[in-house]
Amino acid sequence: MALDPPTMLTISIALAAAAALYLAIEWRSIRETSLLFWSAGFATITVGSTLALLRMSGLLLIGIWFANGLLVLAHWFFLLGVARFTQVRLSRGWYLIFVAWAGLLLLPDEPSWSKIMLVANSLLVALVTLRASFLLRPHGRSLSVGAVQLRYVLLVHGLFYFIKALTAIVPGTLIDLAALRGEIIQISLVEGAMAIMLIALSMTGTERYRREKRIARLAARDPLTTLYNRRALEVRAPRLLAEVSSTRPGALLLIDIDNFKLVNDLYGHIAGDRLLVTLSEMIRSLLPEGALAARLGGDEFVILLSNASRAGIVALGSTLRERFHNEASQTFATPEAVTLSIGANLFDHPPASLAALIEQGDAALYESKRGGRDSIRLVDRTLARSEGLRTD
C-alpha cells in the first residue's frame, strides 16, 4: 500500500479514534478531567482528518478551512488537559485563537491562499502546543516520568509546526492544500501520525503514574483521619529510628482517648468519628518538623519524634491534652470527662523494632490510665530509669 495522502489520513483517523476511545475508557475508571480533555482532542482529530478527505471531492470550505480549524481545536483541548493536570488556570486570551482562525475566511482567493492558510494553521498549532509543553516544566521535581515524556513530545511537535510555518514561506515551495500536494504537506502527514501515537502513549503514562501514586497514597493513609496507618508508619519509622543517638534522642507518644465509648453511645458513631478527626487535626498542627504521626486503630494514635527531650515531650503532651479536653467538653456533654491519656518513651538507642517500642509505649499508657487518666506517663530510657509524670 502506497503511503499517499489519503492513506496517511486514514491511518491518522484510525490512530486518533483508538487514542480517543482508550483515554475515554481510562477516564471512566479514574475520573481525571485531563483525560477527558485529551480524549476530546483525539476525537476532534478523528473528525478533522475525516473531513480533510473531502477536499479532494471539491468541498474546500469543509475539507480545508473547517478541517484545519478542528486541528487547532484538538491541540487546544490538549492544552486544556495539560492545564488541568498541572492545575494552572489559562487566561481568556487563549480563546482569541478561534477568532484568529475565523478571520482566515476573509482571505482573498488567490495563488498565495494555500501558503497563508498553512502558515496560520501551523503557527496556531505551534502556539498552543508549546504552551502545553511549557506548563509541564518541572517545578523543583518532575510531576511524573510520563509528564516529562509528554512535555518533550509536545515540545518537538510544537517546534515541528513552527518550522513548518517558516518553511512554507520559502519562495518556490509547492503547497496545494486542495490536492494535498507538496513536500511540506507530505512530511506533515507522516509527522502527524507519529505524533498521535507518541502523545497518546505519553498521556496514558502520565495519568497511569498519577493513579498509581494516588493508590499508594491512599493505601498509606487512614481513610478517616488521613494520618498514616500502622503499615505506613512501619515503612517510614526505620529511617527516623536509625538517626537516634545520645545527642539526638527519639521519643514515642502513644495516645488514647479516655471515655471515648461514651461519645459513641450518647451521640452516635458519626460524632465519634468527628472527634477522632478533631484529634488528628490537633496532632497534625502540633507535630514538629521531621516527626511522624499515625492512627493505629480505634481511638489510639501514635507520635514518633526525633531529637526529642523530656521537656519537649511534656509540653507537647500537655498542649494536646488541654486543647482536646476543651474541645471535647464544649462539644459533648458526658457523665465522665472525655480526655487523653498518653504513654511516652524517651530513648537514645534505636529500639529492636517499632513493635517493641509501641509495646513499651503501651505499658506507659496503661500506667497513665491506672493513675487516673487525663495524664502523661513518661518513661525516660536515656537514663536507664523510669520516671512518671502526671499533669492534671
Side-chain angles (χ1 to χ4, degrees), residues 35-88:
L35 284 174
L36 194 60
F37 282 126
W38 292 336
S39 177
F42 283 115
T44 304
I45 290 176
T46 303
V47 176
S49 298
T50 302
L51 295 179
L53 292 171
L54 299 178
R55 68 183 68 185
M56 289 175 287
S57 300
L59 300 175
L60 300 184
L61 180 63
I62 296 177
I64 298 178
W65 182 84
F66 195 74
N68 286 351
L70 288 180
L71 183 64
V72 176
L73 176 61
H75 287 80
W76 191 73
F77 277 132
F78 291 162
L79 174 60
L80 288 182
V82 170
R84 181 70 178 186
F85 177 81
T86 56
Q87 298 180 344
V88 173

Side-chain angles (χ1 to χ4, degrees), residues 322-336:
E322 182 180 353
R323 289 187 184 181
F324 181 80
H325 176 65
N326 290 338
E327 181 69 24
S329 61
Q330 292 175 13
T331 307
F332 304 107
T334 53
E336 298 180 65

Side-chain angles (χ1 to χ4, degrees), residues 279-289 291 303 305 315-324:
L279 176 56
S280 69
E281 291 174 348
M282 290 180 182
I283 291 174
R284 191 178 288 109
S285 67
L286 295 173
L287 203 63
E289 185 178 355
I303 296 176
L305 303 172
L316 174 61
S318 298
T319 302
L320 188 59
R321 284 179 46 252
E322 182 180 353
R323 289 187 184 181
F324 181 80

Side-chain angles (χ1 to χ4, degrees), residues 330-382:
Q330 292 175 13
T331 307
F332 304 107
T334 53
E336 298 180 65
V338 178
T339 56
L340 294 181
S341 289
I342 301 175
N345 282 318
L346 182 65
F347 51 93
D348 57 5
H349 288 85
S353 66
L354 178 64
L357 189 60
I358 291 176
E359 186 175 342
Q360 294 169 4
D362 195 52
L365 177 62
Y366 175 77
E367 292 297 325
S368 176
K369 292 275 191 183
R370 193 175 66 171
R373 302 179 179 180
D374 189 20
S375 63
I376 304 171
R377 174 73 178 184
L378 171 62
V379 178
D380 186 347
R381 299 184 182 278
T382 60

